[in-house]
Amino acid sequence: MDVSHLRQQLARQPDSLAPIYIVAGDETLLVMETVDLLRQAARAAGYTDRTSLVVDARSDWSQIEASTRSISLFGDRQLLELKLPTGKPGKPGAEALQRMAEQAGGQALPDALIILALPRLDKALRDSKWLQALSSNGTLIEIPNVDLPRLPGWIGERLAAQNQSIDKDTRQWLAEKVEGNLLAAHQEILKLGLLFPEGELSAEQVQSAVLNVARYNIFGLRDAMLAGDPARVTRILDGLRAEGEALPLVLWAVGEEVRLLARLAQARAAGQDLNTHMRKMRIFGDHERLARQALGRISPRIWPAAVQHAHDIDRLIKGLRTEGRMQDPWEEMLRLALRLSLPARAG
């Protein structure tokens, strides 16, 4: 079942809830909205005793399973929301989920409703006995990713819901700005609803609303580093730190870029075709332009040391002392990013 059919079904028959719903997908925003839709329907149907848990293979599945059979002192029906980000419940979890599915299917849990949120289903997940049992006794809702070709249409639908519209070119422009981050797209659309009245918005209005907000993000850091802009690198890293961004995520973005460019620099030094390697690594557009700029600015001898520097920061994040590095991993992160945003002679 898809979300639109679920919405229609709940509108027609608000009391016809399945005992189990499995919501699977990698689009965090859409998974959250679908779970919220189910939660509202459950609340209206009397499932007011709600428990929400993030679970994995190490969770106490016996307690989770027991909670579906406990009786509320106030006679409330129970809603159990489980989030399994890894998609791997472990053997005890798999067995518990399978039993819960069979009990729900056999109406042994008349006062419990279970919502399980999973990542996108791969072959291993689809073939697992516990997921097959849940699907057989409940409703599976798969949420597809909103890729770039579909994103302009999605943006148009969201704007229409708040009685606004933009032309085709502006939808495409906005889609390219928020590609890969549906939460960011959602926030930009809500912002347009707050800033401007209903009706058609001009390209100038949309671009000013989006571009006039200084958003410190990990990909902006990557681009500033590749472009050789140390002042912007410093501002963005300071902003990320002040906003409480997770340093492992920042390191992932920078470290991945360092490894990509190290391989490209090595390939070029060996006389190999750079275009072929960039296509294989899916480096296109502005990213390709900035990558070439960085490769032309930075000496090939810098890249292996930069890769090691990224490994050292990973050790610091894990609390391990590293010879020759400062104890604060954020400071070392700044040193690495500045190292790659300055000419080679300053590295």
Side-chain angles (χ1 to χ4, degrees), residues 220-267:
L221 174 63
R222 180 199 71 183
D223 291 350
M225 183 180 73
L226 296 182
D229 190 343
R232 186 162 179 251
V233 162
T234 304
R235 287 197 305 272
I236 292 176
L237 260 178
D238 286 346
L240 287 167
R241 187 173 190 175
E243 292 172 3
E245 185 60 82
L247 184 52
L249 183 61
V250 179
L251 176 61
W252 167 79
V254 173
E256 184 68 16
E257 194 66 23
V258 168
R259 285 186 284 273
L260 282 175
L261 292 182
R263 290 201 294 271
L264 288 172
Q266 184 180 30

Side-chain angles (χ1 to χ4, degrees), residues 260-261 264 267-268 273-285 287-293 295:
L260 282 175
L261 292 182
L264 288 172
R268 188 169 66 172
D273 181 54
L274 206 57
N275 291 328
T276 301
H277 283 278
M278 284 197 170
R279 297 292 83 79
K280 287 181 179 178
M281 296 177 182
R282 302 189 61 77
I283 300 176
F284 305 103
H287 188 189
E288 178 180 353
R289 177 180 58 80
L290 291 170
R292 289 181 182 278
Q293 186 176 330
L295 288 169

Side-chain angles (χ1 to χ4, degrees), residues 22-87:
I22 309 101
V23 183
D26 289 336
E27 295 287 10
T28 303
L29 171 69
L30 301 185
V31 170
M32 288 168 51
E33 289 181 343
T34 305
V35 171
D36 189 54
L37 175 66
L38 289 168
R39 185 184 300 132
Q40 292 175 25
R43 188 182 302 116
Y47 292 92
T48 53
D49 187 1
R50 172 175 166 250
T51 301
S52 181
L53 300 170
V54 178
V55 295
D56 58 21
R58 296 169 296 179
S59 299
D60 187 346
W61 285 94
S62 62
Q63 287 294 324
I64 295 168
E65 189 177 3
S67 70
T68 62
R69 297 191 298 269
S70 62
I71 300 174
S72 170
L73 294 175
F74 304 100
D76 296 329
R77 303 170 86 183
Q78 298 179 70
L79 171 60
L80 177 62
E81 295 178 16
L82 301 176
K83 299 173 186 176
L84 184 59
T86 63

